Structure formats: structure tokens, C-alpha cells
Amino acid sequence: MIITKVNDKRSRRDFLDVAKIIYIDDPVWVCPLDNQINAVFDPEQNVYYSHGTAERWVLRDSAGKLIGRIAAFIDFKTANTHDQPTGGVGFFECINDQAAANLLFDTAKVWLEEQGMQAMDGPINFGERDSYWGLLVDGFTHPSYEIAYNPPYYQQLFENYGFQTYFKQEGFHLDVSKPLSDRFMKIAEWVAKKPGYDFQHFTWKEADRFVNDFAEVFNTAWSTLLDNFEPLKVDYIKRTLEKARIILEEEFIWIAYHDGKPISIYLMYPDVNQILKHLNGKLTLWNKLRFIYLKKRKTMTRARAVLMGVIPEFQNLGIESAFIMKLTEVFKRKPHYHEVEFSWVGDFNPKMRKIFISVGSVPVKHYITYRYLFDRSAEFKRYPIPEKQ
């Protein structure tokens, strides 16, 4: 086997092609856009390069056939906040061969050691946690946009190498064709009608006000939950929404207010993977026309809920139920949508898990984020799980 660094146009092409080879007979997999994956490893497009670095490799067998790939990266803002300086590996793809997987992991490990790291998490993303994070270990059904998907045998490849479970994740689905329970609706209506409460959905006309309020809630709510939290910038939110404008539904994004103060947010997109499945990673002129055609044909029947958050002083008051009630009204006006997939929730966040269950969703997918300590005699510590709340 021969492993080579990704450092020119051909090897960048090879990196993309590995996935297409691995999943050639998998009817479920959705090929992400080539330029989307390239953007992760472009310092001009990925802000994580301002405080991090990354490297990639592709693996060939003795006959020269592509059989694997891996990326390794370091976020210097968080690397030294663990018991051991910790980097990450991701975008792992490999044939079902432990020796091939070990060579990929070893190569990433050596590079990370050279950068001063003593551990690696994986599979993770060189970016936000809501994209390509964790290894799918159960529930190998249609993957939503930027949600992890992989063959079942990857779990064995990771664990045989020595990766250990750092934290577990669940993906929740909500069947919007099923009516919500009477009890749920009573609670939701009561919350929505409480004095001082106001629920508003996003509009492009008031995008600036909305984005500022969204950032305020996000940065307040998540700063108490995540270690080494990095505030979300208004400009980043604006750029993200603009990129998604072609598919974005204004009524899929909500903010709750109390006496005019933003207190909670809900963000959801149509699942563009239902269109990307037909494009094979290419956004050619022809595929752009196909994209528009498929969108008009209402090909997207699922939605992906990216996040739902409440500032601390308004948590556990049922605000999330009011959001879901508002969305059921939206779905009545847009009956081609049948299902919502919520972004994963970690086992370190039992409050959010309760919220997902309370709104009627069920866990249907399970993921694991692993950690590998380079010193095999060092004590392994799982991500801390709070006491039941």
C-alpha cells in the first residue's frame, strides 16, 4: 500500500474520488458537492485556518487503486484545553481492511505528534460540530445534509485500532404527518399565549434585525453549555443564510421574544441532500438547472433542524413546544414536507434530549465520537456527563 499527501490538483481530485469509490454500490449515500469538501481545506474559505491547520492523505493499493483517505487537523484554540493536547481526524473513508485503516490512522497520528499533539478525536470536522461529526453506528437510513454517514464496518476499524468512546450522540426524527398529542398542544398553546411572549419567523425584509437577535440568543445559550465556546459572529450568520437562500424557507427559522428581548431560537433547513443525491457532487451548469427543476418539483420532503436553543433563565418553560406548534401550522401550508431530522444531541446534554423527546421526536440514529490517546498507558477519560436533570 502507498499513502501520499494531498498537495496538488490531482491528489485533491483523488481525495474526492475515494468516497465515490467506497460508496459506488450504496444506494443510501449522498455525494456532497465537491466544492463543499474542497472549501473545508481552503484557508480562504474556512475560518478555522485562522487558528488551526490541517493535512490530508490518500491511500492506494499495490495496483494503484484508491482504497482510502483521511484528514488530520488541529484547532489551536481548543487543542490544549484537554488533559492531553488533542487534534482530530475526519473525512475518513476506507475499504473493509484493518491494515489499510491502521495505515491511515498511523499516518494522521504521526503528523499530529509532530505538531505536539498527544491524542486525536474522530471522526470530526475541521469546523463546527453540526457538520460531519461522529461515526454512524446505528440507523443507516438516508443521511441529511452534512450529517455523518458511513458503512457499518467503520466502527470495527476504529475500535480495533484502539479508539475509545469519548461521547455518544443521538439523531432524532419527527414525523410531521402525525398529529401532536392533545396534552402537548395544550402546553404549547398556553406557552404561546403567555403575556409578554412573541414568536416571529425570519423574513429577508428584516434580516439584519433577525440575525442580530439570533446571534444574541445563540451566544448566551451555548456559552454555558460548551467548553471553549467561541461566539457566533453576525457576519458569519448572514453569509450562511445567503448561501442557503435558494432553498431557505423563511418560516423554518424562528425567534421567541419576551417583552421584546430575544430568548430562544429555532433553525431548520429543507434537506437539500434530497436534491444533491441526483448531482454526483458536481455543480455544473446542467446540474444547476436540474437543481432548480427538482426544487420546483418539491423534491425536498424532509427538513433538517440544525439547532434549537433557549437562554438559561427561560429554559424548562416549554418554549420549544410552542416552536413545534408554530411549525405544525407551517407544515399544513406546505404539506409536501413529511419529516424533520434534528441535529444530533450528545449524551452530555440530557436537557436537550428531554426537549427532543417532549416535542414528539424519537431517536433513530446513533453516533460515536471517539478519542485515541497516543500514550496507551495514560488514563482515558470520557467527556463529562452531568448528573440526571
Side-chain angles (χ1 to χ4, degrees), residues 170-175 179-181 183-184 187 308 320-321 324 342-343 345-346 349-364 366 389:
E170 289 178 297
F172 287 79
H173 284 205
L174 178 67
D175 183 348
L180 299 171
S181 69
R183 180 178 179 276
F184 179 91
I187 294 173
M308 178 164 52
E320 300 85 3
S321 62
I324 298 300
F342 293 95
S343 288
V345 58
N349 190 0
K351 281 186 178 180
M352 187 57 69
R353 187 181 192 278
K354 285 183 179 179
I355 289 170
F356 283 149
I357 292 174
S358 73
V359 301
S361 63
V362 294
V364 297
H366 296 85
Q389 303 173 41

Side-chain angles (χ1 to χ4, degrees), residues 107-122:
T107 301
K109 172 179 174 288
V110 168
W111 181 82
L112 288 167
E113 283 181 312
E114 291 172 350
Q115 314 302 313
M117 298 298 102
Q118 298 174 16
M120 56 186 178
D121 291 344

Side-chain angles (χ1 to χ4, degrees), residues 295-307:
K295 178 177 180 287
K296 288 184 176 180
R297 288 290 303 272
K298 295 183 169 54
T299 301
M300 293 180 288
T301 61
R302 299 192 302 263
R304 181 196 167 196
V306 180
L307 58 86

Side-chain angles (χ1 to χ4, degrees), residues 151-170:
Y153 66 83
Y154 278 18
Q155 182 176 7
Q156 203 72 21
L157 297 181
F158 272 81
E159 294 181 1
N160 283 349
Y161 184 77
F163 279 94
Q164 295 171 270
T165 298
Y166 188 46
F167 58 80
K168 295 182 179 180
Q169 306 142 250
E170 289 178 297

